[in-house]
Amino acid sequence: MKNVVICCSLEDENIELLKALKGKSALEDATLHFVHIFEIHVYTSDFSPYIFPSEDKYPEIEEASKKVMRTVAENVCTPSELEKSKVECYFAYSPKQKITEYLQEVGADLVVVASKQKHGIEGLFSSSFTEHLVKYSPCDVHILRAKEDQK
């Protein structure tokens, strides 16, 4: 059985794009892994560093994230696929590195990611999560992009 990892950013536009996966042949006979990775930020001040989110908030954030991802899974999966699906939430200083490690750990055959379509100054920099997957993923990458008329 193949493993398909679906990267969920929990943003409305990306969730809508993921719904287009329903009924796609690439998901047949696969264990679907719905994964979200929160980036841990470290801010410095004059007195001490501040880390967000703090570890005491992890359970609350994880529960809320998994609830959203279960809804995504219900919109994407057929009933038989839903039974085999997994929902994972991680916290990492480098989500790009964590997803690469996760893909290796589960022996992923395919990773699906919804592109954010950055524009303006943001679009000039080539350090996106999607681009990282294209360069470093140990498996095939399927990129979902918004249609031009949806912008």
Side-chain angles (χ1 to χ4, degrees):
M1 179 172 294
K2 61 186 175 181
N3 285 302
V4 176
V5 175
I6 300 172
C7 298
C8 298
S9 74
L10 306 183
E11 295 171 352
D12 291 339
E13 64 186 86
N14 290 33
I15 290 171
E16 286 302 314
L17 285 172
L18 291 174
K19 289 179 183 178
L21 291 171
K22 187 163 188 112
K24 299 293 183 192
S25 60
L27 305 183
E28 291 177 2
D29 299 320
T31 299
L32 303 179
H33 302 254
F34 293 85
V35 178
H36 179 73
I37 304 168
F38 271 95
E39 184 173 2
I40 300 169
H41 295 275
V42 177
Y43 303 98
T44 57
S45 70
D46 294 336
F47 303 108
S48 65
Y50 175 73
I51 298 173
F52 179 82
S54 58
E55 285 188 34
D56 62 321
K57 296 290 184 189
Y58 286 8
E60 179 184 339
I61 294 170
E62 182 177 12
E63 183 181 331
S65 299
K66 285 185 172 184
K67 183 178 178 182
V68 171
M69 287 190 292
R70 281 189 206 97
T71 302
V72 172
E74 289 168 3
N75 285 299
V76 170
C77 298
T78 63
S80 63
E81 292 167 345
L82 191 58
E83 290 177 17
K84 297 182 284 186
S85 69
K86 298 178 180 185
V87 175
E88 303 287 343
C89 180
Y90 296 101
F91 297 85
Y93 291 101
S94 173
K96 295 173 187 177
Q97 182 179 350
K98 178 61 183 171
I99 194 63
T100 305
E101 291 169 0
Y102 184 83
L103 294 171
Q104 292 170 341
E105 287 172 18
V106 300
D109 299 293
L110 176 69
V111 60
V112 178
V113 63
S115 180
K116 291 183 182 178
Q117 301 290 322
K118 293 181 180 180
H119 300 287
I121 300 259
E122 248 187 341
L124 293 175
F125 300 101
S126 60
S127 62
S128 75
F129 189 82
T130 302
E131 188 167 325
H132 175 83
L133 286 173
V134 169
K135 288 182 179 179
Y136 300 107
S137 173
C139 61
D140 291 335
V141 179
H142 181 77
I143 302 169
L144 300 171
R145 296 173 51 151
K147 293 180 183 172
E148 289 295 323
D149 60 357
Q150 291 178 342
K151 291 180 185 173

